[in-house]
Amino acid sequence: IDGLLMLSSAHSNNQRSLVMDKRKLEYNIRSNQGRLEEFKEMEPHLPDYIGAEIEGKVGEKKFEKRKEFGAALIVRIRKALNGKISGTFNIGSVNGVTINVDAKVGKVAILNNAEIEAEIKDIPIPLKGLFITPENIKELDAVGLTQKITNVINKLPSVKSKIETDLLNSQKELDR
């Protein structure tokens, strides 16, 4: 009887695991399908590869040099961090792609922080590694900031390919 109970328990655990795996695959499929829809929406608006020359804009001022553009963005980020209102604010654009800062400000300025994101056709594109505080903004490099932003934008076509591959793999796994 003990052996049968152990087999029954193992079978139940295995079934639970399979159900969880199926749910996870179904979630991944839905998520990737949604992301692909976003890509289809923004794809016609993606800029060509952004090389050394940029078409940057902060306010009404236009920039071609990465250092000057990045420095102007840093000024805008600093203003958002020192502001009194939390929220997402447009700080500029590069080659037609909107650049926003999502600032969170409070009563204690040292706790303020901001994240930078790109946006194409109202679809946000997270820029990982661009979490900014009053402390680390002092170390922010204008050219490096511009480079990080343009790198993410330039990699969007390969991100789409990865999502398509992940979707296909999840669908194959679900069919097994």
Side-chain angles (χ1 to χ4, degrees):
I1 290 184
D2 287 342
L4 287 175
L5 288 174
M6 285 180 17
L7 281 173
S8 175
S9 176
H11 176 72
S12 293
N13 289 340
N14 191 30
Q15 290 300 307
R16 248 189 315 265
S17 178
L18 288 171
V19 167
M20 292 303 293
D21 288 349
K22 181 180 177 193
R23 285 182 184 159
K24 189 166 45 168
L25 284 169
E26 289 170 341
Y27 172 80
N28 287 343
I29 289 169
R30 284 190 309 274
S31 176
N32 284 331
Q33 286 171 333
R35 291 177 69 197
L36 278 177
E37 286 303 313
E38 288 180 341
F39 266 98
K40 286 179 186 172
E41 213 175 297
M42 78 166 112
E43 206 164 26
H45 307 281
L46 283 174
D48 292 332
Y49 183 85
I50 304 170
E53 295 297 316
I54 63 163
E55 296 172 20
K57 189 174 178 185
V58 175
E60 294 302 314
K61 190 164 183 182
K62 295 182 179 184
F63 299 90
E64 292 180 359
K65 298 194 182 326
R66 290 171 175 264
K67 187 173 185 174
E68 293 168 359
F69 175 67
L73 287 178
I74 291 170
V75 168
R76 284 290 192 83
I77 296 165
R78 192 172 277 123
K79 283 182 184 176
L81 279 175
N82 294 329
K84 304 290 183 227
I85 302 170
S86 292
T88 302
F89 308 100
N90 177 295
I91 57 171
S93 66
V94 62
N95 291 51
V97 177
T98 302
I99 309 298
N100 295 325
V101 61
D102 183 14
K104 292 170 184 59
V105 298
K107 292 180 181 178
V108 182
I110 195 75
L111 299 177
N112 292 353
N113 63 74
E115 290 184 82
I116 311 303
E117 66 181 23
E119 182 181 291
I120 299 175
K121 293 297 289 176
D122 298 325
I123 299 168
I125 303 159
L127 302 173
K128 291 182 171 77
L130 286 175
F131 182 78
I132 301 166
T133 65
E135 286 300 308
N136 72 5
I137 197 167
K138 299 170 189 166
E139 301 163 10
L140 202 55
D141 173 60
V143 175
L145 175 62
T146 305
Q147 188 66 43
K148 284 180 183 181
I149 292 168
T150 57
N151 283 349
V152 169
I153 295 166
N154 285 337
K155 289 179 183 173
L156 286 174
S158 65
V159 170
K160 180 186 176 209
S161 294
K162 183 182 179 332
I163 293 169
E164 290 170 332
T165 301
D166 290 349
L167 177 61
L168 186 63
N169 289 340
S170 292
Q171 288 169 332
K172 283 180 184 176
E173 184 68 22
L174 187 62
D175 290 341
R176 271 189 339 133

